[in-house]
Amino acid sequence: MHALLSAFAPIWTLTAIGYAVGRSGLLGEQAEAVLGRFVFHVAMPAALFTMVSGARPAAFANSSMVAFAAGTALVCGLGFVTAGRLFGRGTADRAIGSMASGYVNSANLGIPVAVQVLGDASFVAQIILFQVLLVSPVILTLLDTGTGTGSGKGVVVRRMLTMPVRNPIIMASLLGVVVSALGLRLPHALAHSGDLLGAAAVPTALITLGLSLNSRPATGGPTEHTEPAESTVRTKRAEVATTVALKTLVQPLIAFVVGGPLLHLPDHQLMAVVLCSALPTAQNAFIYAQQYGLDTRVARNSVVASTVVSMATLSLATWVLGTTGP
């Protein structure tokens, strides 16, 4: 339990600092929007390029990743369908619902949890690559399609083909793949600069998340809804509850079924798969919703609520499967 508390402490601390700064008005009214753009367009691309360029994407071609990917794909699909069928969301909002349901907080929470509980963070590194190179492009494509101007087939195709050039996250990831595939290494000064810039992504995203907790009505921009307040609050709560249940309960359960009875993974690998699948929603879901001008309430509240709930589900998974690390 001490390991989990240590892993969660930076998340709560930085989010609380962001909330306090927002309440004080220290950074002004535009702080949330400006910091969100900084994370999305500058810091996060730097972090992803550094991460991908120094790794080998082929590393996640193994049975453990198959089990994790199966849980992610099924839950993201359920989140997408649920957001549309039950809550009447459009394509872009359904993409955010899908991401909030299945995109795990693998970096700033997954790594410390893996180190403390499993004694090894190598599997988390594979998950980060999987989410960056495969899951994020799908989510961003849906977001781009759902928020694009024009509905003609040619417009949609053109936007999809040009999205890597227009989206800094996908562009940084693709450049990282190219550098990795060619075996190139950046000069130390340039690489170190990228490391420093990328290191700002997670803390700034958490500060931005904290700032957003002061927002009323916490919408991201032009697609703000005008439903009656009581109906909106009830719907949002139900949607957040559904999303959190998919993230913290359904995803690790699917991973367990696929990794255990179907693939017969060794105990240590099965625990790693289930534990990582039980991680809460990454703050990327909130940042993406904000930058695409969507209502951020569901994404923001899903990040916060799933982080609270996952303390219990991670502890339960550790207790049931047994601590196999040191």
Side-chain angles (χ1 to χ4, degrees), residues 7-21 32 35-36 39 44 105 107-109 199-214 280-284 286-287 300 303-304 307:
F8 277 90
I11 293 179
W12 294 123
T13 301
L14 292 176
T15 302
I17 290 173
Y19 177 78
V21 169
E32 180 188 338
L35 289 179
V39 172
M44 193 176 293
N105 190 337
N108 62 308
L109 186 55
V202 169
T204 307
L206 290 171
I207 293 292
T208 307
L209 179 64
L211 287 170
S212 75
L213 295 176
N214 294 284
T281 302
Q283 60 269 14
N284 301 45
F286 163 75
I287 294 295
R300 181 198 66 190
V303 172
V304 175
T307 302

Side-chain angles (χ1 to χ4, degrees), residues 7-66:
F8 277 90
I11 293 179
W12 294 123
T13 301
L14 292 176
T15 302
I17 290 173
Y19 177 78
V21 169
R23 290 285 292 179
S24 70
L26 178 65
L27 300 182
E29 296 181 358
Q30 297 301 314
E32 180 188 338
V34 171
L35 289 179
R37 288 196 295 271
F38 169 74
V39 172
F40 188 84
H41 293 280
V42 182
M44 193 176 293
L48 295 178
F49 173 79
T50 300
M51 185 187 309
V52 175
S53 63
R56 292 293 178 266
F60 56 71
N62 56 64
S63 298
S64 295
M65 276 308 307
V66 169

Side-chain angles (χ1 to χ4, degrees), residues 62-64 66-71 74 251-266 269-270 273-274:
N62 56 64
S63 298
S64 295
V66 169
F68 180 86
L74 289 174
Q251 187 173 3
L253 182 59
I254 293 174
F256 174 78
V257 171
V258 175
L262 295 182
L263 297 179
H264 304 289
L265 294 176
Q269 292 182 29
L270 179 61
V273 169
V274 174

